[in-house]
Amino acid sequence: MFIYYLLALVVIIADQLTKWLIAAYMEIGETIPIIEDVIHITSHRNAGAAFGILQGQMWLFYIVTIIVTVGIVYFIKKMGRTDKWIGIPLGILLGGTIGNFIDRMLYGEVIDFVDVYIGTYSFPIFNVADSALTVGVILLIIKLFIDERREKKEKANES
């Protein structure tokens, strides 16, 4: 189980380091093209949740984040002991959750900087913690899908 918390710590450090670099060396709104018209590093602040919803509702984010963090730790302890493919995504989720929580506690907003363009569509700007949350959820969904298929196959074989 230690590895899951270590994974969370790696995510938190990567998230906070990249955000510190953006805040220290870029002006808000400044953009640096990495691949022109595809990916830019853009200094942005978000006082809301994903896609900028619920702007300024910090009390709600604090409560939800504490509940989610406690839930993740509970499931790491309960399910991570027996299944690393549940523990790993939960560790990643824990790191992402805490990464953005640190920003909200320190600054009242989240530092975002990864700016992706898909054709003419500009995807909402995000950060390492947001990426970790997305990857963690996707890995959990894949794990649950695989487990469900395995159970169906086992039931079919028993019949």
Side-chain angles (χ1 to χ4, degrees), residues 11 21 23 30 35 41 52 68 71 79-80 108 113 123:
V11 170
L21 289 168
E30 183 180 353
I35 301 173
I41 301 299
V68 167
M79 301 172 84
F113 58 90
F123 195 78

Side-chain angles (χ1 to χ4, degrees), residues 1-2 6-7 25 28 66 69 89 118 126 129 132-133 144 150:
M1 279 196 337
F2 171 75
L6 183 61
L7 187 55
Y25 294 103
I28 295 175
I66 290 167
T69 301
I118 301 169
F126 58 97
L133 292 167
L144 295 173
R150 185 178 301 129

Side-chain angles (χ1 to χ4, degrees), residues 57-124:
Q57 301 296 317
M58 284 302 129
W59 61 271
L60 177 64
F61 296 126
Y62 298 149
I63 292 168
V64 169
T65 302
I66 290 167
I67 292 168
V68 167
T69 301
V70 168
I72 292 170
V73 170
Y74 170 79
F75 283 109
I76 285 175
K77 288 183 178 191
K78 181 176 177 151
M79 301 172 84
R81 290 182 193 276
T82 59
D83 192 340
K84 71 179 178 184
W85 295 112
I86 293 288
I88 290 170
L90 289 173
I92 294 169
L93 284 169
L94 183 62
T97 301
I98 293 172
N100 280 339
F101 187 66
I102 290 169
D103 280 21
R104 288 191 176 102
M105 292 295 292
L106 294 178
Y107 314 116
E109 60 190 4
V110 174
I111 299 169
D112 290 328
F113 58 90
V114 181
D115 195 0
V116 176
Y117 300 89
I118 301 169
T120 58
Y121 177 73
S122 176
F123 195 78

